[in-house]
């Protein structure tokens, strides 16, 4: 049996050449929301309901980067039936890593409580991150701060 990660990697390798052109287009405009300690961007399609949600945590060595560092992820995921949320969090040195993890958990709670109003399914949230964002996703997941998130790895 093939696991989801292998399936995803294989399907991306088999994308038609037109997918490359589509990925070069600009990302759709998000709806920006203040969730408490920072802001998050919600990318969704009007009129959709119960879409699975990808919650993205940006990288930047815990001291740089921001929620807008998403490249083509929102467009690609919207085209494939997902709602995409990119979160910001407070940076070093003002906020230590434990505080950043708390920010991630607070953003997750906000998304879970409010995403249905944007067409997302609060019971189908997958968390992903890049670099420091991956660390924060793993840290918060391991300490139990992301209840009911999907573990697709």
């Amino acid at each position: 049996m093939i696991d989801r990660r292998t399936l995803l990697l294989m399907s991306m390798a088999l994308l038609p050449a037109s997918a490359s052109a589509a990925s070069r287009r600009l990302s759709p405009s998000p709806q920006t929301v203040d969730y408490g300690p920072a802001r998050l961007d919600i990318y969704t399609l009007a009129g959709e309901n119960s879409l699975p949600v990808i919650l993205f945590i940006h990288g930047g060595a815990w001291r740089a980067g921001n929620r807008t560092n998403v490249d083509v992820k929102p467009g690609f995921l919207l085209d494939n039936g997902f709602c995409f949320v990119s979160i910001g969090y407070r940076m070093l040195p003002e906020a230590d890593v434990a505080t950043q993890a708390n920010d991630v958990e607070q953003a997750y709670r906000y998304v879970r409580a409010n995403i249905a109003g944007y067409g997302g399914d609060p019971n189908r949230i997958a968390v992903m991150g890049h670099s420091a964002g991956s660390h924060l996703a793993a840290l918060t997941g391991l300490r139990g701060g992301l209840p009911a998130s999907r573990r697709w790895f």
Side-chain angles (χ1 to χ4, degrees):
M1 177 180 257
I2 191 167
D3 63 73
R4 290 182 187 192
R5 181 177 179 193
T6 303
L7 177 63
L8 177 65
L9 292 173
M10 288 174 50
S11 63
M12 290 178 71
L14 298 174
L15 285 173
S18 61
S20 176
S23 71
R24 286 191 296 270
R25 68 175 179 201
L26 296 174
S27 289
S29 296
Q31 296 178 43
T32 301
V33 177
D34 185 343
Y35 72 88
R39 301 179 106 188
L40 56 83
D41 291 337
I42 301 172
Y43 299 82
T44 191
L45 298 173
E48 294 291 337
N49 293 318
S50 300
L51 295 174
V53 179
I54 302 293
L55 187 137
F56 177 72
I57 309 164
H58 69 81
W62 304 275
R63 64 181 68 246
N66 64 59
R67 70 183 190 282
T68 64
N69 295 357
V70 294
D71 299 317
V72 299
K73 291 175 203 65
F76 178 82
L77 290 164
L78 288 175
D79 287 349
N80 286 281
F82 289 86
C83 179
F84 183 80
V85 178
S86 180
I87 71 165
Y89 53 89
R90 293 174 282 179
M91 300 287 152
L92 288 174
E94 291 81 24
D96 62 11
V97 174
T99 300
Q100 292 172 341
N102 290 338
D103 289 356
V104 169
E105 291 170 357
Q106 189 169 344
Y108 174 82
R109 285 190 301 274
Y110 179 90
V111 169
R112 189 155 162 82
N114 295 285
I115 201 64
Y118 297 91
D121 183 344
N123 295 312
R124 296 193 300 162
I125 300 173
V127 179
M128 68 181 279
H130 173 258
S131 192
S134 295
H135 168 259
L136 291 169
L139 176 63
T140 55
L142 288 171
R143 72 183 197 172
L146 306 176
S149 65
R150 298 286 182 193
R151 290 172 181 85
W152 289 348
F153 52 85

